[in-house]
């Protein structure tokens, strides 16, 4: 019964939309039919004015916290109070009296996130908190300067925040991670709706966006042992290599995959060469073959995250050329690799200095116009640098 009461309480508090009522009162129009057509602070500011927008922002950012506090007064368990807070987001997005069409819920979710960052994350030791905030601030600064788009910045910094929180406070991370996931969903919706990220015709978007799933390979390699993992990778390489060789040696097969098959697997540039998928698997396999597991994980992580950031930022916001890449894409690659090195340091995989030098090496290798494909050269070069530095440190 308490759970139902908490959910209803949060939903009702969230469903009250000051943006709608203020605009209806002052202008006699529905805020959802003008401007961006969202019942939110920004739309009120642009179409009604500053003070109505401030009132809207004050309530919208507070309603989730208010739901949490009222549920606490009812002496409900903390987890149920949190459910009440998140129900206020649902109420904001789906108000029953407006045909379930309200705002996007960003302000309400931000309010909940800030509250739990204040009550939970700030309990960490000051030095830990400062280092975490510094690395996140670096990501925000670099990505904002390169893209000038808040939603694009959020696409990277929100998962970065969630991962750090899960590492620092695993037992209570859900209070922060769930609001972060909601905000990330809103970010993705905005990016898709406003087409903030576009891909060239020769780029397969699904191959770029699915790149983080490659971390599953690294997780698997960590848990099943090196011998079993090397066998698995050998099988995968064999499958992709056979597919490539058949495609490259038979004209009919090539036309099928490049011209007739509706699901475009291969890029146009791969019509006469091995696919990046095959080379990626080769790069991962060689990294595990030549380096100890921790360094292999770091080297492959630089490849996965750095390449993802470089492609998204470079293709969409790159303006200044740097060899065959862009300055903006290279900076995005570097900052994500630095973040990766920091996280691996927090997880006790790689010493911070070793990881940072590996991140720099990976970025240098990525930007230089080398004859070897990035999928192979980046993990190998960064792995060699880290192995040498680690050996020097050990003496």
């Amino acid at each position: 019964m308490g759970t139902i009461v908490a959910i209803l309480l949060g939903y009702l508090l969230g469903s009250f939309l000051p943006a709608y009522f203020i605009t209806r009162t002052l202008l006699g129009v529905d805020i959802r039919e003008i401007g961006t057509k969202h019942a939110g602070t920004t739309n009120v500011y642009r179409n009604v004015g500053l003070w109505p927008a401030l009132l809207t922002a004050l309530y919208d950012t507070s309603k989730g916290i208010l739901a949490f506090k009222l549920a606490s007064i009812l002496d409900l368990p903390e987890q149920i109070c949190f459910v009440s807070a998140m129900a206020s987001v649902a109420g904001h997005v789906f108000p029953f009296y407006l045909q379930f069409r309200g705002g996007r819920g960003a302000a309400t979710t931000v309010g909940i996130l800030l509250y739990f960052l204040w009550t939970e994350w700030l309990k960490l030791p000051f030095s830990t908190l400062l280092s975490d905030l510094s690395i996140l601030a670096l990501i925000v600064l670099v990505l904002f300067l390169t893209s000038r788009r808040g939603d694009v910045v959020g696409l990277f910094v929100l998962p970065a925040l969630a991962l750090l929180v899960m590492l620092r406070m695993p037992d209570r991370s859900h209070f922060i991670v769930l609001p972060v996931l909601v905000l990330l969903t809103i970010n993705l919706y905005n990016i898709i709706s406003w087409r903030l990220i576009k891909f060239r015709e020769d780029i397969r978007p699904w191959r770029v966006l699915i790149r983080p799933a490659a971390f599953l390979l690294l997780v698997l390699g960590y848990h099943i042992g090196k011998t079993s993992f090397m066998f698995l990778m050998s099988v995968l390489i064999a499958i992709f290599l056979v597919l490539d060789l058949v495609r490259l040696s038979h004209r009919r097969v090539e036309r099928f995959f490049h011209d007739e098959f509706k699901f475009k697997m291969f890029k146009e540039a791969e019509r006469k060469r091995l696919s990046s998928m095959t080379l990626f698997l080769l790069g991962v396999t060689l990294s595990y073959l030549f380096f100890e597991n921790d360094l292999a994980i770091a080297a492959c992580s630089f490849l996965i995250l750095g390449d993802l950031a470089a492609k998204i930022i470079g293709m969409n916001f790159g303006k200044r050329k740097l060899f065959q890449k862009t300055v903006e894409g290279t900076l995005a690659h570097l900052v994500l690799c630095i973040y990766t090195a920091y996280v691996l340091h927090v997880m006790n995989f790689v010493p911070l200095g070793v990881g940072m030098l590996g991140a720099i090496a990976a970025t240098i290798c990525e930007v230089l116009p080398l004859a070897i494909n990035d999928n192979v050269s980046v993990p190998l070069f960064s792995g060699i640098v880290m192995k040498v530095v680690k050996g020097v440190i050990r003496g």
Side-chain angles (χ1 to χ4, degrees):
M1 186 64 181
T3 302
I4 296 175
V5 171
I7 292 174
L8 287 176
L9 175 64
Y11 175 81
L12 291 174
L13 287 171
S15 65
F16 179 75
L17 303 183
Y20 174 81
F21 290 106
I22 291 174
T23 307
R24 178 69 77 180
T25 301
L26 295 180
L27 302 183
V29 298
D30 187 341
I31 188 66
R32 301 170 304 157
E33 302 301 328
I34 59 176
T36 61
K37 302 186 185 301
H38 291 294
T41 302
T42 303
N43 205 21
V44 173
Y45 173 70
R46 291 173 179 170
N47 294 281
V48 187
L50 175 61
W51 288 106
L54 288 176
L55 290 174
T56 299
L58 180 63
Y59 183 73
D60 282 354
T61 55
S62 302
K63 60 176 71 172
I65 304 170
L66 182 60
F68 183 85
K69 292 296 185 182
L70 289 177
S72 299
I73 292 174
L74 296 176
D75 202 28
L76 294 172
E78 186 181 38
Q79 304 296 339
I80 302 302
C81 296
F82 178 66
V83 171
S84 180
M86 295 308 298
S88 69
V89 178
H92 183 93
V93 179
F94 306 109
F96 66 93
Y97 57 91
L98 294 176
Q99 293 76 50
F100 300 98
R101 186 165 69 90
R104 287 173 293 181
T108 305
T109 310
V110 167
I112 297 170
L113 176 61
L114 291 176
Y115 174 78
F116 284 107
L117 284 174
W118 180 266
T119 60
E120 300 294 332
W121 205 29
L122 290 183
K123 294 177 182 178
L124 294 173
F126 178 74
S127 59
T128 299
L129 182 64
L130 182 61
S131 61
D132 286 357
L133 287 175
S134 297
I135 196 70
L136 291 173
L138 180 63
I139 296 174
V140 172
L141 177 64
V142 171
L143 294 185
F144 183 76
L145 289 176
T146 53
S147 72
R148 302 286 178 178
R149 294 286 187 174
D151 287 302
V152 175
V153 174
L155 183 64
F156 291 96
V157 79
L158 287 172
L161 169 61
L163 179 56
L164 281 177
V165 167
M166 287 189 289
L167 292 173
R168 297 297 192 188
M169 36 183 288
D171 295 335
R172 297 180 65 81
S173 61
H174 59 280
F175 288 117
I176 296 173
V177 172
L178 186 57
V180 164
L181 291 177
V182 173
L183 283 176
L184 186 59
T185 302
I186 296 171
N187 262 24
L188 289 171
Y189 172 81
N190 292 339
I191 288 171
I192 294 171
S193 298
W194 301 334
R195 301 191 68 187
L196 299 181
I197 293 178
K198 301 176 183 177
F199 296 96
R200 300 194 308 264
E201 288 187 7
D202 63 326
I203 298 295
R204 303 293 177 248
W206 69 269
R207 282 175 51 171
V208 177
L209 299 177
I210 204 175
R211 199 65 182 261
F215 277 112
L216 294 176
L217 273 179
L218 307 189
V219 173
L220 184 63
Y222 180 76
H223 287 287
I224 67 174
K226 193 164 187 173
T227 303
S228 299
F229 182 67
M230 292 299 293
F231 175 76
L232 173 64
M233 293 304 298
S234 299
V235 172
L236 289 176
I237 289 177
I239 293 172
F240 279 85
L241 185 59
V242 167
L243 178 60
D244 275 345
L245 293 177
V246 171
R247 175 176 59 86
L248 294 173
S249 60
H250 292 77
R251 182 70 177 168
R252 181 70 185 87
V253 177
E254 179 207 354
R255 285 201 305 270
F256 172 77
F257 279 111
H258 286 274
D259 303 322
E260 300 172 12
F261 193 38
K262 291 184 179 180
F263 183 74
K264 298 297 183 182
M265 290 181 59
F266 302 99
K267 296 183 289 187
E268 187 61 28
E270 295 170 343
R271 193 179 278 269
K272 299 297 182 181
R273 63 174 175 83
L274 296 178
S275 73
S276 297
M277 295 179 286
T278 303
L279 293 172
F280 171 78
L281 293 173
L282 177 61
V284 172
T285 303
L286 292 176
S287 298
Y288 275 84
L289 180 64
F290 294 135
F291 311 124
E292 55 191 88
N293 282 4
D294 292 351
L295 295 184
I297 289 172
C300 295
S301 297
F302 295 150
L303 171 63
I304 296 169
L305 275 185
D307 182 72
L308 176 68
K311 275 191 170 61
I312 291 178
I313 300 299
M315 283 192 298
N316 291 276
F317 308 103
K319 297 177 181 178
R320 290 164 290 184
K321 282 291 183 180
L322 183 60
F323 298 109
Q324 297 173 6
K325 306 297 173 67
T326 65
V327 172
E328 292 79 6
T330 300
L331 288 174
H333 186 287
L334 176 61
V335 76
L336 264 294
C337 286
I338 289 174
Y339 168 78
T340 302
Y342 180 77
V343 168
L344 292 173
H345 164 66
V346 172
M347 298 174 69
N348 294 317
F349 274 77
V350 178
L352 184 59
V354 173
M356 290 297 181
L357 289 174
I360 295 171
T363 304
I364 292 173
C365 188
E366 194 270 342
V367 75
L368 290 177
L370 303 176
I372 305 174
N373 186 276
D374 293 350
N375 288 288
V376 178
S377 62
V378 167
L380 289 184
F381 184 58
S382 60
I384 290 171
V385 169
M386 288 188 290
K387 186 172 184 177
V388 170
V389 173
K390 195 172 182 180
V392 170
I393 293 174
R394 286 175 177 173

